[in-house]
Amino acid sequence: MLDALRTIEGGGDRLTLRRATPRSRDHLLLEYRDGRGLPVGAQWLGDSEKIQRVIDETERVCGVVPTFVPTAAGQGVIVHFGGCDRRLPALSALLRRPDATLLAHRPERRAVVRLTIDGQTRFVKMLRLGRLEDALARHALVSGVADDGFRVPRVIEVDEDAGTIVCEALAGTSPYENGGWSAAGWRAVGRALRALHASAIAPPAAHDARRECDILTDRLDLAAVFTPDIGERMRAILPRVLDALASGDSPACAIHRDFYDKQVLIDEGGRVGLLDFDTLAMGEPALDLANAIVHIELRMLQGDLSSKDADACARALIEGYEPDGTVVSRLGAYADATRARLVMLYAYRPSASAVCGPMLDRIGEPAPACASRVRLRPGSRRLRARVAPVPGCPTLCIVGCPRSGTTMLERMVDAHPRIACAHETHWITRYAKKKHGLSRRGLVTDDLLDALYADRRFVRMGVPRPDLETLVREGIDYAAFVSHVFDRYRRLRGKDLAADKSTGGHVRDLVRLHAICPQTRIVHLIRDGRAVCLSMCSWKKAPRAAGRQDLWKVSPVGTTALWWRWHIRTMREQGRALPNGIYHELRYESLVADPEGQCARLCDLLGIERSDRMARFHVGRENPNGHSANSAWQAPTPGLRDWRTQMPADDLELFEALAGDTLEDLGYERRYARIGVAVRRRADDLRRAWDERHTPRPAIHVRPAALQEKTP
């Protein structure tokens, strides 16, 4: 079968097969090289009805009839010249740009294009519609914990309609390009991989030994069809590979799952960059480590590295990683699984299939020799903390721009007989960001306890220090530590569940918050910015919030407009990058208009019984002498701040000039359809001054002007 596909004539060019990927018994994804050496995506189909359906739908979606090269009766190759692809409809338009270079194209699944935008190299990943959100969520999880341990590409723009993600180009080179790094380079890669595995993130997808066995079994079935010689040899070898995988396990952590030399870059300063987290999952760390080691072995078989250099590179990788005994004990099983997987991958690559025999011969060898010779550090802890986190604790985190009613919602939640809601625990993300008091492996130390008990926000939770000192002695990572703090807090309050309310403290850190508390639901309370402005400008504590900005002295209203807009947009962008079901939005106006109904919906979201106490949180606690709705423990009151009657016209017009776009995005009505020239000029001055003081964070959900074709 593959011999008939090695070279084909299509589009007036001779195409040479570089690789094939089986999808089913009558479907192969193909990548050819044209006469210039550039990639051309194609697919072989063995069903005439499927062939016609793909051709017809591609013509309908892309306006181009793909080239069809018959190979037998009812069989043939569909060649996607120019990126015409029914599942990636934006690819062909993107490739018409003069600065676009197609790097990879797996038809109807994904493509990677290199662009030059304003003199900067950018990479565009294009995915099938519906796959984008999941890829963004995985990337956001890793971005939230990337620090000095490793770098990840920054997401610059996203187009949900086209299914494209634009990323910056990380500085550095891969060993595949340079024929192997020095031992120091591979040692740095090991440390970077360890940092990923030791992070607190918990991807929703899981990839255990059973799943790895299923993948190998499925590939064996297809190998028997398309590469019968390899299939026959593999059928005799694979059972013992599967038995070794199934015979043990080790603690799971966040793994890359496709970790090898092409997925890492090292810059001139020795900093490691990691790429492509589409396969991120919870799994055994030995999978990533074995995958990298066996790829070094592969480069030796391909003649890129000598045996001595390959051994030195693998040894340095493991030394940098510092595996414990549980990881080393699983390296052999995952090394053989990787060898089997690579054999059933390279068998479909005509120019590289010669490595399959030698790789098969290595299956069954002991764990990579270099691993057995690595001296483990005395007293090395397990990769994961001994003390596991309390599942789902805290169960809820309330966030929002200050003066948006978050304190009222906090009191409603706290009034539920089962939930204890903590107040303004900004320390959760603050200390995770600084990594103050964490060991090299991310475990909590006494230094962190000292810092926390010097923080009034932490102290007022009332958790006795001796309780936490015991956890630290046993060995606990930061994420598990946070969940245990909230577990202690809810027990002290005599309740079953814990929650948290933090306003500005988590603005930029929703992704980090999710990484620390992956099961926690995040509810973003949103209030009309003009009402927020009225409240802020009359609040005696404004200097702690919007009043901290330099522009406050120039224009409190303009500053609050820009400040509110920044809060809303930042939290929405980060929230929407999280997995489905984690981030939710609640309108203040709906909450005060129908407190019973909104509280009931919140209980349904959390999966707990409804309670009428939530809407009656104020009963018996009213304080007529209070100077604000909060201090007076006032009942939910619609129209407490009415911008229509309480906001001067000049202030209202200025606010809408600066934040009207966000008001419209949220569905709030505007008073001014057009902004006067004088107000517009004043708004422009304030906006420029704001932008000079605030470095904008990269947008995660914006329509990419960079992808629009430039006018010649």
Side-chain angles (χ1 to χ4, degrees):
M1 168 62 68
L2 290 179
D3 289 340
L5 302 177
R6 282 177 180 269
T7 58
I8 61 173
E9 301 288 338
D13 200 351
R14 183 180 179 85
L15 304 178
T16 303
L17 182 65
R18 183 172 183 268
R19 72 177 73 189
T21 305
R23 298 296 301 166
S24 66
R25 290 172 173 262
D26 62 358
H27 188 193
L28 286 169
L29 298 181
L30 308 171
E31 183 182 297
Y32 284 93
R33 286 292 190 266
D34 63 15
R36 297 173 297 169
L38 298 177
V40 178
Q43 52 185 321
W44 172 85
L45 290 166
D47 185 313
S48 58
E49 292 184 2
K50 290 182 180 179
I51 291 171
Q52 194 60 50
R53 183 164 61 250
V54 171
I55 292 175
D56 291 344
E57 290 185 8
T58 302
E59 181 182 12
R60 176 177 58 80
V61 172
C62 302
V64 178
V65 179
T67 300
F68 177 66
V69 180
T71 57
Q75 302 177 5
V77 177
I78 297 174
V79 186
H80 299 270
F81 282 114
C84 61
D85 191 322
R86 60 176 180 161
R87 304 298 188 199
L88 306 176
L91 180 59
S92 57
L94 182 61
L95 291 179
R96 287 195 291 269
R97 289 179 49 137
D99 60 340
T101 301
L102 180 65
L103 301 180
H105 180 196
R106 297 186 68 187
E108 304 189 351
R109 297 185 66 80
R110 58 182 294 166
V112 180
V113 177
R114 183 176 62 230
L115 297 178
T116 302
I117 302 174
D118 298 328
Q120 300 292 321
T121 300
R122 299 288 185 250
F123 292 95
V124 183
K125 180 184 293 185
M126 186 169 293
L127 302 172
R128 289 180 58 174
L129 301 182
R131 300 292 180 88
L132 188 71
E133 185 175 355
D134 187 54
L136 276 174
R138 283 179 161 90
H139 187 91
L141 277 177
V142 181
S143 297
V145 296
D147 53 16
D148 294 337
F150 59 88
R151 301 169 295 138
V152 298
R154 181 170 59 94
V155 173
I156 298 173
E157 293 175 313
V158 172
D159 187 341
E160 293 178 334
D161 296 330
T164 54
I165 306 171
V166 183
C167 293
E168 68 176 355
L170 281 183
T173 57
S174 76
Y176 186 76
E177 296 170 329
N178 291 343
W181 286 320
S182 64
W186 279 106
R187 198 169 287 110
V189 173
R191 290 193 294 268
L193 181 60
R194 177 73 186 215
L196 173 65
H197 288 176
S199 68
I201 61 176
H207 186 89
D208 56 13
R210 174 179 292 183
R211 177 61 181 146
E212 185 76 1
C213 290
D214 291 343
I215 290 176
L216 293 174
T217 302
D218 291 343
R219 292 193 178 185
L220 174 60
D221 292 340
L222 294 176
V225 175
F226 294 108
T227 58
D229 292 343
I230 293 295
E232 184 177 353
R233 286 197 63 184
M234 189 60 70
R235 193 171 297 280
I237 294 173
L238 195 59
R240 65 173 180 263
V241 175
L242 302 181
D243 288 344
L245 275 176
S247 64
D249 60 12
S250 60
C253 64
I255 61 173
H256 187 287
R257 237 197 81 203
D258 191 25
F259 189 78
Y260 67 111
D261 46 13
K262 284 189 176 181
Q263 303 286 28
V264 292
L265 298 170
I266 284 191
D267 65 13
E268 294 181 354
R271 296 178 301 170
V272 177
L274 305 184
L275 306 175
D276 198 0
F277 296 97
D278 291 357
T279 55
L280 186 74
M282 291 295 290
E284 293 188 68
L287 187 154
D288 278 349
L289 197 56
N291 203 52
I293 292 170
V294 173
H295 272 82
I296 293 174
E297 182 179 284
L298 174 66
R299 304 309 174 211
M300 179 192 68
L301 296 176
Q302 292 174 323
D304 297 329
L305 288 171
S306 68
S307 175
K308 180 179 179 180
D309 288 342
D311 186 76
C313 289
R315 179 196 288 264
L317 172 70
I318 298 176
E319 288 174 348
Y321 186 89
E322 294 185 279
D324 64 17
T326 60
V327 176
V328 171
S329 68
R330 296 291 284 161
L331 271 180
Y334 276 107
D336 277 347
T338 302
R339 290 168 179 145
R341 181 161 31 84
L342 288 180
V343 166
M344 291 187 284
L345 178 68
Y346 278 79
Y348 300 92
R349 300 185 182 186
S351 63
S353 58
V355 303
C356 293
M359 186 70 77
L360 278 170
D361 294 338
R362 301 175 80 91
I363 291 179
E365 290 185 358
C370 53
S372 63
R373 295 196 299 271
V374 170
R375 180 181 178 184
L376 299 183
R377 178 166 293 186
S380 176
R381 294 184 184 271
R382 288 176 173 261
L383 180 65
R384 304 295 285 176
R386 298 178 187 174
V387 181
V390 178
C393 194
T395 190
L396 168 69
C397 185
I398 301 166
V399 298
C401 177
R403 313 312 293 168
S404 293
T406 53
T407 298
M408 179 183 68
L409 180 57
E410 171 197 338
R411 290 172 176 176
M412 289 177 167
V413 170
D414 193 65
H416 193 287
R418 293 187 58 195
I419 307 177
C421 192
H423 181 72
E424 301 290 0
T425 58
H426 298 182
W427 60 269
I428 298 176
T429 52
R430 176 188 300 168
Y431 291 99
K433 185 188 306 182
K434 295 180 178 179
K435 293 191 177 297
H436 175 87
L438 298 181
S439 71
R440 183 176 175 183
R441 295 181 177 84
L443 301 182
V444 176
T445 68
D446 290 335
D447 288 343
L448 178 60
L449 289 184
D450 292 341
L452 287 172
Y453 280 95
D455 186 331
R456 62 182 178 83
R457 297 182 186 276
F458 181 85
V459 171
R460 67 187 175 202
M461 295 185 72
V463 179
R465 179 162 179 161
D467 291 358
L468 302 183
E469 288 175 340
T470 300
L471 295 175
V472 172
R473 283 195 300 271
E474 293 175 356
I476 186 169
D477 67 21
Y478 188 70
F481 176 82
V482 171
S483 69
H484 276 271
V485 168
F486 276 90
D487 185 54
R488 296 287 199 275
Y489 173 73
R490 63 96 182 165
R491 292 185 183 186
L492 289 170
R493 295 281 309 280
K495 295 196 175 184
D496 301 326
L497 302 170
D500 167 55
K501 173 259 185 175
S502 292
T503 49
H506 297 324
V507 175
R508 291 192 174 189
D509 287 318
L510 294 191
V511 170
R512 194 186 307 273
L513 177 65
H514 174 64
I516 299 167
C517 308
Q519 299 181 46
T520 300
R521 303 292 179 87
I522 299 173
V523 172
H524 180 192
L525 186 63
I526 297 175
R527 186 181 188 182
D528 189 315
R530 292 158 295 193
V532 171
C533 184
L534 285 171
S535 180
M536 180 62 64
C537 290
S538 62
W539 190 33
K540 66 178 182 179
K541 296 181 181 179
R544 301 182 185 178
R548 297 175 63 183
Q549 308 297 320
D550 295 341
L551 287 177
W552 180 265
K553 297 177 182 178
V554 178
S555 173
V557 171
T559 302
T560 305
L562 292 164
W563 179 79
W564 173 81
R565 180 181 184 273
W566 173 77
H567 273 81
I568 295 297
R569 294 174 72 88
T570 301
M571 280 194 268
R572 294 189 100 197
E573 287 170 0
Q574 290 218 357
R576 290 176 178 181
L578 299 178
N580 288 335
I582 295 297
Y583 172 81
H584 303 270
E585 293 180 356
L586 174 61
R587 296 300 175 88
Y588 169 86
E589 293 79 13
S590 299
L591 185 62
V592 295
D594 180 21
E596 293 85 0
Q598 294 300 321
C599 288
R601 292 185 180 91
L602 183 57
C603 290
D604 293 343
L605 172 67
L606 300 177
I608 60 176
E609 65 277 10
R610 300 177 178 184
S611 173
D612 58 1
R613 296 184 187 180
M614 298 177 71
R616 297 189 297 107
F617 71 93
H618 57 286
V619 175
R621 307 193 67 171
E622 297 93 334
N623 177 17
N625 298 320
H627 298 293
S628 67
N630 283 339
S631 61
W633 280 78
Q634 189 170 337
T637 307
L640 188 64
R641 302 284 182 182
D642 188 351
W643 57 266
R644 298 170 185 82
T645 59
Q646 299 175 11
M647 199 167 191
D650 290 347
D651 291 349
L652 182 57
E653 186 176 8
L654 178 61
F655 189 99
E656 293 189 1
L658 290 165
D661 57 345
T662 303
L663 289 170
E664 287 184 347
D665 289 345
L666 294 169
Y668 289 116
E669 64 174 294
R670 293 181 61 164
R671 170 69 60 82
Y672 293 94
R674 292 185 177 182
I675 304 298
V677 175
V679 174
R680 188 165 61 248
R681 288 175 178 170
R682 186 182 179 199
D684 289 342
D685 291 341
L686 289 169
R687 189 179 293 108
R688 279 192 294 270
W690 175 274
D691 291 343
E692 289 174 358
R693 292 165 170 79
H694 299 80
T695 302
R697 293 177 63 84
I700 296 178
H701 288 270
V702 295
R703 191 168 186 84
L707 290 184
Q708 298 173 3
E709 290 198 52
K710 297 179 180 178
T711 303

